[in-house]
Amino acid sequence: MTRSKVSLALLEDSTYKQAIDQDLQEMEKLLNELLETERLKGHVVLKRTSSSLNTLVKSVISDYFSDKPIHAFLERSLPTLQLDETRLRLLIRNLLENALKYQPSSAKPVEIHTRKENNAILLIVEDHGAGIEAEHIPHLTDPFYRVDPSRQRKTGGYGLGLYLCRLIAEAHGAQLEISSELGRGTRVSLKISLFAEQR
Ligand code: ATP
Ligand code: MG
């Protein structure tokens, strides 16, 4: 992969170069996602540290989505959580990437919320896109599942993002829930129980 990228960098700019560059980037994303899912399926111990979920959300937005229409509603003074920050950031990034990718650019901004509810902390990502038919919802976190691969070719991706999110949630003893309404949008929430989280 690295050798190909170096060779490519030495070529003159052209549309072919751009196309190969884009393919390489997609392959790299796929490889990284596959490696990460394999790690999480094995006996990888999470590197948990005391973390502020709100700080993680803000850092993901400023690192990857600073020019994108995202409204953040982050509840103040949430308790700190024992999180694997690298993996939580990956989860947040994947959810925001989906929300932005599957709603038209004319839609209202994507929303990300954090709040405490009973004995849990919720992280919710909500979009105003076309929504997903109910029959697909139970399968969305299966590896390589995409709702309509032929129509979705232009959005790219391999159907690993939500699988990875589920593995990250489970490794933290948290749950990922997806709900959607056709024509209205999709909401994905991560529920981290304050008791399970202390284990
Ligand atoms: P990858 O994340 O690996 O780049 P992907 O986005 O296709 O590819 P997932 O993130 O796992 O894969 O999502 C699986 C499928 O669920 C998507 O292909 C899409 O059909 C559907 N989906 C996910 N999020 C949304 C959303 N916010 N709105 C509508 N459909 C969605
Ligand atoms: Mg995705």
Side-chain angles (χ1 to χ4, degrees), residues 7-160:
S7 312
L8 187 69
L10 299 173
L11 295 181
E12 267 179 46
D13 282 337
S14 71
T15 46
Y16 295 121
K17 181 176 171 176
Q18 264 177 21
I20 296 171
D21 190 37
Q22 194 161 353
D23 287 348
L24 280 176
Q25 279 182 33
E26 269 193 27
M27 272 151 71
E28 191 170 34
K29 181 167 186 268
L30 173 66
L31 277 178
N32 286 333
E33 285 184 339
L34 281 173
L35 284 172
E36 186 58 20
T37 56
E38 282 306 312
R39 278 189 209 111
L40 285 164
K41 277 194 299 183
H43 296 282
V44 169
V45 180
L46 293 182
K47 293 192 190 72
R48 295 192 192 226
T49 52
S50 288
S51 318
S52 149
L53 188 58
N54 288 348
T55 306
L56 295 182
V57 169
K58 284 186 244 173
S59 73
V60 171
I61 294 176
S62 71
D63 289 354
Y64 303 105
F65 305 108
S66 57
D67 56 345
K68 294 288 191 294
I70 298 176
H71 275 180
F73 303 86
L74 310 178
E75 190 170 282
R76 281 165 174 247
S77 342
L78 288 181
T80 38
L81 297 168
Q82 296 297 315
L83 302 174
D84 185 320
E85 297 197 349
T86 310
R87 292 186 166 117
L88 237 289
R89 277 168 52 91
L90 193 57
L91 180 149
I92 297 166
R93 183 181 169 186
N94 267 300
L95 294 184
L96 287 174
E97 209 174 80
N98 279 350
L100 290 162
K101 183 160 80 167
Y102 298 113
Q103 78 166 24
S105 50
S106 58
K108 282 194 286 177
V110 162
E111 292 177 25
I112 183 162
H113 299 255
T114 58
R115 61 169 177 267
K116 184 165 179 288
E117 211 171 87
N118 302 323
N119 290 315
I121 303 294
L122 298 181
L123 168 82
I124 299 167
V125 175
E126 213 173 300
D127 65 59
H128 306 92
I132 306 163
E133 281 177 56
E135 60 183 280
H136 295 292
I137 293 189
H139 306 291
L140 295 177
T141 64
D142 294 346
F144 299 109
Y145 192 89
R146 306 195 76 207
V147 169
D148 188 348
S150 55
R151 279 211 341 230
Q152 277 182 196
R153 207 170 295 136
K154 71 173 187 330
T155 52
Y158 292 92
L160 282 171

